[in-house]
Amino acid sequence: MKEKVFRDPVLNLIRVYDPVILDLIGTSEFQRLRRIKQLGVTSYVFHGAEHSRFAHSLGVYEIARRFADHLGENYRTKMPGDSLWDPNERLVLLCAALLHDVGHGPYSHTFEHIFGSNHEEYTQALITSPETEINQVLRRVGPDFPEDVAAVIAKTYPNPQVVQLISSQIDADRMDYLLRDAYNTGATYGEFDLSRISQLMRPYVNGIAFEEKGMYAIEDYVISRYQMYVQVYFHPVSRAFEVLLQHLLMRAKQLFNQTSAETRIAKDFVFPALRPLFSGQVSLKDYLKFDDVTLLANINQWRDSEDQVLADLAQRFLDRKPFKSIEITAGTRHLLPHLRQLIEQAGYDPRYYTAENDSFDLPYDDYKPHADKPRTQIELMAPDGTLTELSKKSALVDTLTGRTFGDARFFFPKEMLTQDSVDDVMAPIYREFQQYIHNGKLVDPSNR
């Protein structure tokens, strides 16, 4: 086919040469990703972060295409078992890259926590189900091709090189979301040299390695990932909105599941498109109706709900009135029951107006086969083919290896920080609550 080009602010040009890729982009299931934000509530903090999972998925495809072209041009297999790149794997790699996020729902991780869904399972179902347009396109390649694409995403595909290019500690998915999220949030510390890293790729029997002469480019990538998690993904206000949305949906779900004798609110306060989700009976067809637009429209209706908690939480979410938070530690966590009691005395139901949220991550880790989720380590390849794990060569990466970062926080209504209140009967409660906070952290006032 004639080359099809998509202009992209991050990768400049996204090039499509395969009819099957263009047909997949045109399916209704893939177009749905235009209506789902990549970073969910993060736009409440970084106003430019309005980009979609559609844009990200195209980006992952393009990066994977560049990887495949580099490997095909420079390391094409010459005989079976030589551990080089098999160009016959190109199309399954590109399809998996394009479709890897097709099963995401609106505000995905919050959504999954409340309703018990799993975007990876839905992704594989959308690829393998005969009901979908995606499946019909993939089956034109071959009757087993949908299963092969799903296997790459499930990390069960027999060629580890293909899997690693999509899912590892340095892969097309991570590279695109770091660059794209950095661009849209304005966080320039998320940038790294994609083209240099691409040129360093070398295939070997168990996956993909990188020429050791380019170690500094790999270091830059690892540090970029670390900075993005610290500065963007774990931002306290973003987490506050995730908590707020989670409690808003939790309240709506509770009201939906109450009997008519328990509440005067009719079931129709949930839009028809969302009712299967709330009832726990979701078909694949139902799932495809869930997107940011549908959910936000329903939340906008809830701001006028007869239920005061639901209405208040909806208004806080829509009008950017986040919960406040303080950092907690294992040594101060025992104080939280008293803080919840004070919040309840101030008139807020602690089930919906308080939360603990722990956000921790590893910027890099070496391979630990007995870990719950062993990570594919980054290998550096010497000119003679010898492999060395990245942290064994890089002192910089070694300082980050195996070390978690992040914090645990306690979230509560901003009103609890009210000072110098006039004619507010809750003022003594506010003052007592504030005695437990110092420099943004939970402290024991008896020890101050």
Side-chain angles (χ1 to χ4, degrees), residues 20 22-32 99 102 125-140 146 284 288:
V20 65
L22 195 59
D23 289 344
L24 288 171
I25 293 171
T27 61
S28 62
E29 296 92 4
F30 192 80
Q31 289 293 317
R32 167 181 166 272
L99 300 175
V102 75
L126 288 167
I127 291 170
T128 58
S129 171
E131 301 175 18
T132 67
E133 294 178 26
I134 284 176
N135 180 267
Q136 293 164 19
V137 171
L138 294 174
R139 286 179 66 83
R140 294 178 204 155
L284 206 55
L288 290 169

Side-chain angles (χ1 to χ4, degrees), residues 325-329 332 406-410 439-443:
S325 69
I326 52 176
E327 188 176 341
I328 59 177
T329 65
T332 59
D407 61 15
R409 307 190 74 85
F410 176 67
N439 289 336
K441 298 181 179 180
L442 175 60
V443 297

Side-chain angles (χ1 to χ4, degrees), residues 62-120:
E62 172 62 17
I63 293 174
R65 186 195 64 77
R66 295 178 189 181
F67 291 168
D69 286 355
H70 165 72
L71 295 171
E73 291 169 5
N74 298 284
Y75 304 104
R76 181 185 293 261
T77 186
K78 297 179 176 61
M79 63 181 66
D82 63 5
S83 304
L84 297 178
W85 174 254
D86 182 355
N88 293 318
E89 300 283 22
R90 178 180 180 277
L91 190 58
V92 72
L93 169 68
L94 299 188
C95 290
L98 183 72
L99 300 175
H100 78 288
D101 267 357
V102 75
H104 268 286
Y107 303 98
S108 184
H109 301 294
T110 301
F111 181 88
E112 291 180 10
H113 179 78
I114 294 298
F115 298 106
S117 61
N118 182 300
H119 73 270
E120 292 183 354

Side-chain angles (χ1 to χ4, degrees), residues 419-438:
Q419 296 182 357
D420 302 322
S421 55
V422 179
D423 297 328
D424 191 335
V425 296
M426 301 300 176
I429 298 175
Y430 299 155
R431 286 194 293 270
E432 182 179 354
F433 182 89
Q434 292 162 25
Q435 292 176 5
Y436 287 84
I437 301 174
H438 183 67

Side-chain angles (χ1 to χ4, degrees), residues 302-314:
W302 293 343
R303 72 156 79 221
D304 297 319
S305 172
E306 296 176 20
D307 182 80
Q308 292 185 358
V309 172
L310 184 67
D312 181 61
L313 294 175

